[in-house]
Amino acid sequence: MEEKPKVVILCGGMGTRLREETEARPKPLVEVGNRPILWHIMKLYAHAGFTDFVLCLGYKGDMIRDYFKSNNHENWTIEFADTGEKTNTGGRIKRAERFITGDNFMATYGDGLSTVDLKALYAYHLKHGKTGTITCVHPYSKYGEVALAPDGHVQKFIEKPVLKDYINGGFHVYKHEFLDLLGEDDVLEHKPFARLVEQGQMMGFRHEGFWHSMDTWRDKEDLNAMWASGKPQWKVWKD
C-alpha cells in the first residue's frame, strides 16, 4: 500500500505585496477568520488524510514555529525546516530535503485556498507515473468586466469574473527524484519546471472549482468576508 506522502509547504517568503501585515508577521500567519491562512491550508490537507507536514521556514520563521508549538491541537505531525530568509521557492524545497521521505511528496504555497480534491490529485499523480503534477486553476480577474453589445451598448458589469485560462495554483505532487533536479538557489517555477516540461515529465491536474490566493490586502479582506459569511467555499472540513 502506498504510504501517505509528506506535505511540504513553502512558508518563508517576505510577502512584500502584503506589507501592511507582513511587517509584523510572516505571510502564512496572516489571519483569515482569526486563524492563520496556513492553518486553513493544513486543514484542507488533513481533511483529505494528509497530516504529515514539513514547513519550509524563512522570514520570521520562529513565529510560525512558536505558533504551532502552542497551537497544534489537530494531531498533526509537523517538522520545521529552516531554509533561509531570502531563499527562492525551489531552493527552499531542496534545503528541506532531509525531511522529505517516501517515494512521493506533496507541496504547496503558504497563501492559497481551494476546494481541490487532494485525494484525487494524489491518485492522478500515482496513476500517470510522471515526475511532477501541478494543479491548474482558473484565476479570478483583479478587475471588473464590462459586457458590451456589438453596437457598443453596455449590457452589464461583472465584478471580478473567473477567467478561462489556467494558471499554476499550487497543490503539487512530485516523485522524490525531483529533488535531484533542484539547486539551493532555484526558483521552482523556472528551471526545474522547464526541465520537467522538456522531459515530458510534468502533468496538469485540472481544477474547475474555487481557488483564491492571498497576495494583497484586498485578497485578505475578500477571504475574511467569505469566512464571515458563514459559508467559505474552501471549508470542506467539519468543526
Side-chain angles (χ1 to χ4, degrees):
M1 185 177 178
E2 175 70 23
E3 81 273 29
K4 288 289 178 70
K6 297 276 185 107
V7 179
V8 179
I9 306 181
L10 297 170
C11 301
M14 299 184 73
T16 54
R17 286 184 288 175
L18 195 56
R19 181 66 71 187
E20 304 93 333
E21 286 277 359
T22 57
E23 286 284 357
R25 71 184 98 183
K27 187 177 178 183
L29 288 187
V30 174
E31 293 185 345
V32 175
N34 298 317
R35 293 274 200 168
I37 190 170
L38 177 57
W39 176 87
H40 292 264
I41 295 167
M42 294 167 78
K43 286 288 280 187
L44 290 171
Y45 278 97
H47 177 73
F50 307 114
T51 58
D52 198 346
F53 298 99
V54 177
L55 303 186
C56 297
L57 306 182
Y59 175 70
K60 296 186 182 294
D62 285 345
M63 294 180 70
I64 294 175
R65 183 186 282 107
D66 292 346
Y67 176 85
F68 283 104
K69 284 186 175 179
S70 301
N71 295 280
N72 184 13
H73 309 306
E74 306 285 349
N75 200 29
W76 298 336
T77 299
I78 305 175
E79 295 174 286
F80 303 98
D82 293 313
T83 59
E85 187 165 303
K86 296 183 179 179
T87 309
N88 291 319
T89 47
R92 290 196 187 282
I93 295 176
K94 181 65 174 179
R95 293 183 186 201
E97 183 171 4
R98 67 188 181 91
F99 297 97
I100 304 171
T101 56
D103 295 332
N104 298 276
F105 66 96
M106 306 182 86
T108 197
Y109 308 105
D111 61 2
L113 297 173
S114 180
T115 54
V116 60
D117 186 335
L118 293 167
K119 286 183 181 177
L121 165 66
Y122 190 58
Y124 175 74
H125 173 78
L126 295 180
K127 184 177 180 179
H128 65 61
K130 303 294 186 182
T131 302
T133 306
I134 64 170
T135 297
C136 301
V137 302
H138 297 290
Y140 53 90
S141 174
K142 297 287 187 181
Y143 306 98
E145 184 177 289
V146 180
L148 288 176
D151 66 357
H153 276 89
V154 175
Q155 296 176 317
K156 61 181 176 178
F157 293 95
I158 306 168
E159 180 63 21
K160 297 204 304 188
V162 174
L163 304 176
K164 294 180 180 179
D165 294 332
Y166 286 106
I167 64 167
N168 165 25
F171 304 102
H172 307 160
V173 193
Y174 301 102
K175 288 185 177 181
H176 191 272
E177 64 202 47
F178 178 60
L179 295 168
D180 295 335
L181 299 181
L182 297 176
E184 291 203 353
D185 296 315
D186 277 346
V187 176
L188 177 65
E189 303 79 8
H190 293 174
K191 258 195 246 179
F193 273 20
R195 196 170 301 170
L196 288 185
V197 171
E198 288 166 6
Q199 295 172 355
Q201 289 294 316
M202 177 175 277
M203 298 290 284
F205 180 80
R206 292 182 178 90
H207 173 61
E208 305 298 334
F210 175 82
W211 176 87
H212 202 301
S213 64
M214 187 177 68
D215 294 320
T216 65
W217 179 267
R218 177 66 183 271
D219 293 332
K220 170 187 170 273
E221 294 294 289
D222 287 347
L223 288 169
N224 273 282
M226 292 177 206
W227 187 267
S229 75
K231 294 182 179 179
Q233 293 185 56
W234 71 88
K235 188 179 180 293
V236 294
W237 63 88
K238 294 181 180 179
D239 292 324

